[in-house]
Amino acid sequence: MSVYVIAPPAIAALQIKGSTQTFPVRRIFCVGRNYAEHAIEMGSDPTREPPFYFAKPADALVVNDADMPYPPASKSLHHEMELVVAIGTGGADIAVADALKHVWGYCCGLDMTRRDLQNEAKKTGRPWDMGKGFDHSAPMGALVPAAGIDPSKGLIELRVNGKVTQTSDLSKLIWSVPEVISNLSHLVRLAPGDLIMTGTPEGVAAVQRGDVLEGIVEGVGSVRTRIV
């Protein structure tokens, strides 16, 4: 039995709807610009360029409708509402036709972004890590098992203080959930506990302290947090 020189970190986990069990989270992968309208609003070409990815640390999770602290070093915190895929069976070089067999469940998530830091990193050709992977940057709702859920269609929407800011449909994903899983599995070996945030539709915008964010994905559930 290993003896650590410091206390090991707690395991990040998602609650499971209707269960006392939780889903341990290993890694959080995020797909960039996966809705055409969002690609356009970010100044990019919405054609089917190969998917690209960035990551958030597992301990960036904010769960159980907890508050999200406004992050330091930023004056432009943006919301990005997303469908999240939870991998239950790992693998590499997964075929598109087999991809959904590797999914344990789905949930709603927010890819919170320090847009000013991200934009500065883009201009200088530097990594986005501090714009995307900061503390508390991944609020997520309860996970639901995959059985009976069709990730190819359904309303995805975010309200800020009761006002709709993002609304679209999963059918508008440039790269579908099975395609994303397959593509990512050719870059890394996926493992149980990995999460994939599948991209955000148009309408991303800045939020302030005191704002309440409430998002839904039809047939999956919801996510809620308050910026403090």
Side-chain angles (χ1 to χ4, degrees):
M1 182 176 180
S2 297
V3 178
Y4 300 105
V5 297
I6 60 172
I11 296 174
L14 287 173
Q15 66 183 118
I16 297 171
K17 187 175 181 179
S19 174
T20 58
Q21 295 180 305
T22 58
F23 183 89
V25 175
R26 183 171 184 261
R27 297 175 291 189
I28 303 174
F29 296 103
C30 309
V31 188
R33 297 197 296 260
N34 201 23
Y35 286 80
E37 289 83 357
H38 175 59
I40 292 169
E41 76 176 351
M42 298 304 290
S44 299
D45 186 340
T47 56
R48 278 171 59 100
E49 62 179 345
F52 70 94
Y53 306 91
F54 56 92
K56 293 177 182 279
D59 63 5
L61 285 176
V62 177
V63 298
N64 299 320
D65 295 346
D67 294 343
M68 177 194 167
Y70 197 101
S74 177
K75 295 181 180 179
S76 184
L77 175 66
H78 279 211
H79 60 67
E80 298 192 7
M81 178 65 196
E82 313 205 2
L83 171 70
V84 183
V85 178
I87 298 297
T89 304
D93 301 328
I94 298 168
V96 172
D98 296 328
L100 294 184
K101 298 175 185 176
H102 293 259
V103 177
W104 191 93
Y106 301 94
C107 72
C108 299
L110 289 163
D111 167 18
M112 302 302 292
T113 303
R114 291 193 284 201
R115 191 71 72 201
D116 44 359
L117 272 65
Q118 183 195 32
N119 287 342
E120 183 62 27
K122 287 180 179 180
K123 286 192 293 184
T124 56
R126 295 174 179 171
W128 296 2
D129 295 56
M130 292 299 99
K132 289 286 192 177
F134 53 94
D135 297 340
H136 315 292
S137 61
M140 293 191 188
L143 193 63
V144 294
I149 295 176
D150 179 2
S152 69
K153 59 184 179 180
L155 175 70
I156 178 170
E157 187 170 274
L158 181 72
R159 294 174 181 262
V160 178
N161 301 326
K163 180 181 178 179
V164 174
T165 56
Q166 291 185 270
T167 186
S168 189
D169 194 277
L170 298 178
S171 63
K172 294 185 178 182
L173 283 165
I174 297 173
W175 294 93
S176 69
V177 169
E179 289 172 331
V180 166
I181 293 170
S182 175
N183 179 267
L184 183 55
S185 77
H186 284 75
L187 298 171
V188 297
R189 175 176 287 276
L190 293 175
D194 287 341
L195 301 181
I196 305 172
M197 303 189 77
T198 57
T200 195
E202 71 276 15
V204 300
V207 294
Q208 307 297 328
R209 292 174 179 85
D211 286 347
V212 176
L213 284 60
E214 298 172 294
I216 62 166
V217 174
E218 183 180 356
V220 172
S222 62
V223 59
R224 183 185 188 278
T225 192
R226 180 170 59 105
I227 310 300
V228 297

